[in-house]
Amino acid sequence: MKANEDNFVELIKRRREEGILYVMDTYGGLIHSIVRKRLFAAPDRIEECMNDIFLGIWKNIDSFDESRGSFVNWAAGVARLEAIDTLRKIQRESRFRTVSLEDMEIPQEDSAFLELTEQELSKETEEILKCLSGKDRELFRRIFLEEEEPGKAGEALGISRDNVYVRIFRGKQKIRKKLKGRKRA
């Protein structure tokens, strides 16, 4: 059976190679750009990370739920998480090894493609964060999207450090509850 947009997920679930090959051909560029963005300082690890991502999609396809979002967003999430895991692994391996800036090669990114991807992910993120108050939404953006330290984010918003962690905890509970409701719908 030939894989297409309508049946590739089902093919992967039935462990048919055509499904994952379709994903590689169709979404490989997106996944590669996500990985390259995170692993720009370790270009030799990009291919290994890509393989891990496709293996992760293959093994975890049952966790993809069409009612919660599109496949491309799910696959992009898998790619981001795997790239971050690979980056952490690299950092652990080279904890005491330093690299000079002259030795680093910084690749050029396909800005139009990245912009489109970021827009799609931003829409989904905004939809998820709608259940939070304005201040909590800004706190989540600063901490989880802009990767700002919780203490600094709280200080900028006039929230005590302890209250930041309480708001994060409660916000995560609200988001989980909202996502569970979306899954059932």
Side-chain angles (χ1 to χ4, degrees), residues 114-142:
L114 284 175
E115 186 177 322
L116 178 64
T117 304
E118 290 296 324
Q119 285 174 356
E120 271 196 48
L121 294 173
S122 291
K123 286 178 192 174
E124 190 168 327
T125 302
E126 287 302 317
E127 182 64 33
I128 290 171
L129 293 179
K130 275 185 182 178
C131 66
L132 302 176
S133 69
K135 206 171 207 178
D136 287 348
R137 200 175 307 141
E138 181 61 26
L139 184 67
F140 269 67
R141 269 194 210 99
R142 286 174 175 258

Side-chain angles (χ1 to χ4, degrees), residues 115-180:
E115 186 177 322
L116 178 64
T117 304
E118 290 296 324
Q119 285 174 356
E120 271 196 48
L121 294 173
S122 291
K123 286 178 192 174
E124 190 168 327
T125 302
E126 287 302 317
E127 182 64 33
I128 290 171
L129 293 179
K130 275 185 182 178
C131 66
L132 302 176
S133 69
K135 206 171 207 178
D136 287 348
R137 200 175 307 141
E138 181 61 26
L139 184 67
F140 269 67
R141 269 194 210 99
R142 286 174 175 258
I143 293 172
F144 295 106
L145 300 177
E146 298 170 14
E147 299 177 5
E148 193 174 322
E149 290 292 320
K152 288 183 181 180
E155 187 178 311
L157 295 171
I159 302 170
S160 72
R161 183 175 176 85
D162 291 336
N163 197 357
V164 165
Y165 290 105
V166 170
R167 285 174 178 256
I168 290 172
F169 177 76
R170 289 182 181 158
K172 285 181 178 182
Q173 285 180 324
K174 286 180 184 177
I175 291 170
R176 282 187 196 108
K177 188 175 182 179
K178 179 179 181 177
L179 291 177
K180 278 186 180 178

